[in-house]
Amino acid sequence: MTELIEMAHGAGGRTMAGLIDSVFRPAFDNQWLARAEDHAALAAPDGRLAMTTDTYVISPLFFPGGDIGSLAVHGTINDLATAGARPLYLSAGFVLEEGFPIQDLQRVVASMADAAKAAGVAIVTGDTKVVERGKGDGLFINTTGLGLVPDGVELSTTRVRPGDAVLVSGSLGDHGVAVMSKRSGLSFETEIESDSAALHDLVAVMAGAAAGLRALRDPTRGGLSAVLNEIAQAAGVGMRIREVDLPVKDSVRGACELLGLDPLNVANEGKMVAFCDPADAQRLLDAMRAHPLGRDASVIGVVTDDPDRFIELETAFGGRRVVDWLAGEQLPRIC
């Protein structure tokens, strides 16, 4: 096998079959891929299915705390987790640029396989395309996920109402700052790593602890500010959050100041924003903090009855300012 991706690796012939047999099939090995079909025939479980898809174009492909492979698995699992779903199956589509090192592809695929195995998810089907040199940027990945929503779990932004508590599962901005610092060639006294992680186990604990859990959303592109504004618009409510309760690491805050970023706008890949009945807030917070991926969880604010659907931040100095979502792209190619 050559050391670099060639156009023939996406042409459907012997070379492509060799790439699949040497790179993808051994890493993702399971009963569905072993049949070498153009599809995966899956048993239909009882209950409701959740489905989602996302495409990952992050640059650089490797960053502190992760890479595009594990990110593609975690991101799609977390989108399923916002429905309270247990992830079952993933598909994986690869767009490779001619000349991309096969060694790097093997490293990414191994990372995907490890992430999927750790999450208990099977990658059951996939696709490979190769574009000409200069027509891509190394590697893009699309992942589609199927998950099962347990009976009794009903999570939706339409259930958010005034008075609800707003919680976040941990520190903000780690992923975005880790990627930006790598991209910019910056180093800090304490290395900042991405928070990329699969959150379905944490969500299962949350759903079991608080019957009043209304909605979940993972604050990826656009960060916390985008999520709060999206849900405020969808639910027809406002929100008031407290700066002193926002969990942001000192290293991330310092890096944001250096890079000219607002932690509220920076992407996360291992955090969940939750909305719940205020009577269940403490119970939910305790459950989150008892889980390794939620130990820095915090109640950060409250949903308000506001026809203008504003997000207000109570600053540490006692003032207030509106938290608006970004008008442009502050952090391109972040996921």
Side-chain angles (χ1 to χ4, degrees), residues 30-33 35-44 89 124-125 146:
N30 56 57
Q31 59 179 303
W32 298 276
L33 288 178
R35 294 176 182 172
E37 304 279 6
D38 277 344
H39 64 270
L42 309 169
Y89 307 109
V124 297
T125 189
L146 280 175

Side-chain angles (χ1 to χ4, degrees), residues 100-170:
F100 186 72
I102 289 180
Q103 186 175 23
D104 285 353
L105 177 62
Q106 291 173 319
R107 183 179 168 191
V108 168
V109 168
S111 177
M112 286 188 77
D114 289 345
K117 183 178 180 181
V121 181
I123 297 174
V124 297
T125 189
D127 181 50
T128 304
K129 295 290 190 300
V130 179
V131 297
E132 297 90 341
R133 192 183 300 267
K135 297 294 181 62
D137 194 9
L139 170 63
F140 301 143
I141 299 175
N142 172 270
T143 45
T144 295
L146 280 175
L148 184 66
V149 182
D151 290 341
V153 175
E154 294 285 349
L155 301 178
S156 170
T157 56
T158 60
R159 301 182 67 227
V160 175
R161 61 197 65 173
D164 283 353
V166 185
L167 299 89
V168 65
S169 64

Side-chain angles (χ1 to χ4, degrees), residues 50-88:
M51 181 177 179
T52 187
T53 191
D54 208 341
T55 302
Y56 298 85
V57 298
I58 191 169
S59 177
L61 299 178
F62 304 95
F63 48 84
D67 56 72
I68 189 173
S70 57
L71 180 69
V73 172
H74 294 157
T76 296
I77 286 175
N78 290 346
D79 285 345
L80 292 172
T82 62
R86 177 169 59 87
L88 299 174

